[in-house]
Amino acid sequence: MIISASRRTDICAFHSRWFMNRLEAGYAMVRNPVRREMVSRVPLDVGSVDHMVFITKDPSPMLPYLPDLSETYSVSFQITITPYERDVEFDVPESDRVISFLKEVSEILGSDRVIWRFDPILFSDKYDEETIVSGFREMCAQMSGYVDRCVFTFLEHYPKIEPIIGGLGIRECRDRKRFVSSLNECASSFDIRLSSCTADLYVDHPFIHSGACIDTMSMRRWGIPYEMPSTPVRKGCGCVKTVDIGDYDTCMHNCAYCYANSSSVKSRSDKVYDPDSEFICGYGEHTDIIRELGSKSQSKLSIR
């Protein structure tokens, strides 16, 4: 079983103590995103977990635990670092700080287990193509030697984020092929392999590497058993199957483009986040329908 922690929220930044408590307990309770009364009991013991992928904009709260954690479990990180300011990423730490955290993670795990996510890429009069490429080049220089791969993708216009990003003057890329070529040139000059998040970007730009964030190549290299999902996470996604233990509407980075939050900042702040709870948010209810998620011997079960 490969654990995703998490596409739905930033567990490292906001729920690291809860996560470590769940590791000690050996399981976590995870609500189905659509049918909230459906709950999966996800085993987190060493015998059940083949690998853990942390997806975060701020890995610093997890750093104190990482040396011991990486000795017990197979671990990798995907760390998002972009050139935007507070008008887009309202409560994300400054990029220089996050880069310093990424370097610490890389020094513990090795550069092959740290992926830099440069996503989503969005364009406006303030964030034009030249500005984005310039910021990307500076970040490549800072992270050279600490990451082997950078994954990028363009902003996906989910209906629920349109009211928020509407005031930012978001527009389409004027020349996408030229823009991606510029990114690739920057990355290559610093020995960073640029890859797309989805296969359609790879088809459009065959000079970059094919898209998958949690990719089969890495799993084979690390000796991690895997299988492909019956339904991809999104169109063109080539990621291996994972079990996500996060919950939507529980991230406080408050990014304008976020697909994982639909409630207001206040309503998310008012939720109960008890690090001693079995659930990342709230508690169990008497109406819950609980099922045991399979371990390695039952790996075809999934809650994603």
Side-chain angles (χ1 to χ4, degrees):
M1 179 188 303
I2 298 173
I3 296 294
S4 168
S6 155
R7 287 185 173 99
R8 300 171 182 168
T9 188
D10 196 327
I11 285 178
C12 288
F14 303 109
H15 310 290
S16 58
R17 187 177 159 204
W18 171 84
F19 176 81
M20 296 307 298
N21 285 344
R22 297 329 304 156
L23 282 192
E24 185 175 353
Y27 71 96
M29 305 298 275
V30 182
R31 292 196 178 279
N32 184 291
V34 178
R35 296 186 60 191
R36 302 293 290 172
E37 75 279 7
M38 302 297 295
V39 175
S40 292
R41 187 182 191 275
V42 181
L44 296 176
D45 57 283
V46 176
S48 299
V49 175
D50 295 297
H51 185 72
M52 293 180 178
V53 183
F54 292 99
I55 304 169
T56 181
K57 295 181 188 297
D58 179 9
S60 60
M62 194 62 71
L63 283 170
Y65 308 113
L66 192 52
D68 289 340
L69 181 62
S70 61
E71 287 186 5
T72 306
Y73 294 87
S74 174
V75 174
S76 63
F77 272 72
Q78 300 196 16
I79 302 174
T80 300
I81 308 174
T82 56
Y84 311 125
E85 297 177 1
R86 298 288 181 177
D87 57 331
V88 174
E89 297 178 337
F90 306 124
D91 293 300
V92 176
E94 294 180 354
S95 60
D96 286 348
R97 288 188 61 209
V98 184
I99 289 172
S100 70
F101 300 147
L102 177 147
K103 290 179 177 179
E104 290 187 58
V105 175
S106 180
E107 287 170 350
I108 295 170
L109 299 182
S111 60
D112 68 316
R113 291 195 177 230
V114 181
I115 291 175
W116 166 27
R117 298 189 63 88
F118 192 72
D119 81 293
I121 299 171
L122 54 82
F123 301 96
S124 66
D125 289 343
K126 178 178 180 179
Y127 301 108
D128 59 20
E129 287 85 346
E130 292 75 18
T131 300
I132 298 294
V133 170
S134 176
F136 182 75
R137 183 181 298 109
E138 292 177 10
M139 291 177 180
C140 284
Q142 289 179 272
M143 283 183 273
S144 179
Y146 291 94
V147 296
D148 295 345
R149 183 160 72 111
C150 174
V151 173
F152 79 97
T153 191
F154 294 100
L155 177 68
E156 189 163 341
H157 289 259
Y158 297 97
K160 68 181 179 180
I161 70 171
E162 291 300 328
I164 302 174
I165 66 171
L168 297 175
I170 302 300
R171 60 168 174 78
E172 293 299 317
C173 182
R174 295 188 177 95
D175 187 339
R176 183 176 282 198
K177 189 166 186 176
R178 179 182 176 184
F179 173 79
V180 176
S181 297
S182 297
L183 291 187
N184 186 60
E185 183 179 344
C186 293
S188 298
S189 66
F190 290 99
D191 294 321
I192 297 173
R193 178 164 51 96
L194 186 67
S195 64
S196 61
C197 176
T198 54
D200 55 333
L201 290 173
Y202 167 66
V203 171
D204 291 342
H205 312 287
F207 49 87
I208 63 173
H209 295 269
S210 60
C213 305
I214 309 174
D215 62 310
T216 58
M217 184 183 300
S218 295
M219 297 301 106
R220 289 195 296 267
R221 185 168 65 248
W222 301 334
I224 307 300
Y226 67 89
E227 58 182 308
M228 302 308 294
S230 57
T231 304
V233 173
R234 57 187 288 197
K235 181 182 178 182
C237 177
C239 289
V240 303
K241 185 168 76 171
T242 62
V243 175
D244 201 304
I245 61 169
D247 200 358
Y248 292 116
D249 285 313
T250 62
C251 181
M252 299 300 172
H253 285 313
N254 301 318
C255 301
Y257 52 73
C258 183
Y259 65 86
N261 286 334
S262 57
S263 63
S264 67
V265 175
K266 184 178 186 307
S267 64
R268 277 182 274 128
S269 299
D270 288 344
K271 290 183 176 182
V272 176
Y273 302 103
D274 182 354
D276 294 321
S277 173
E278 297 174 305
F279 295 78
I280 200 169
C281 177
Y283 303 95
E285 304 287 344
H286 72 277
T287 53
D288 288 342
I289 302 170
I290 300 173
R291 69 168 177 137
E292 298 282 336
L293 192 70
S295 60
K296 291 181 182 179
S297 61
Q298 299 169 298
S299 59
K300 291 189 180 297
L301 289 175
S302 175
I303 60 166
R304 205 191 56 180

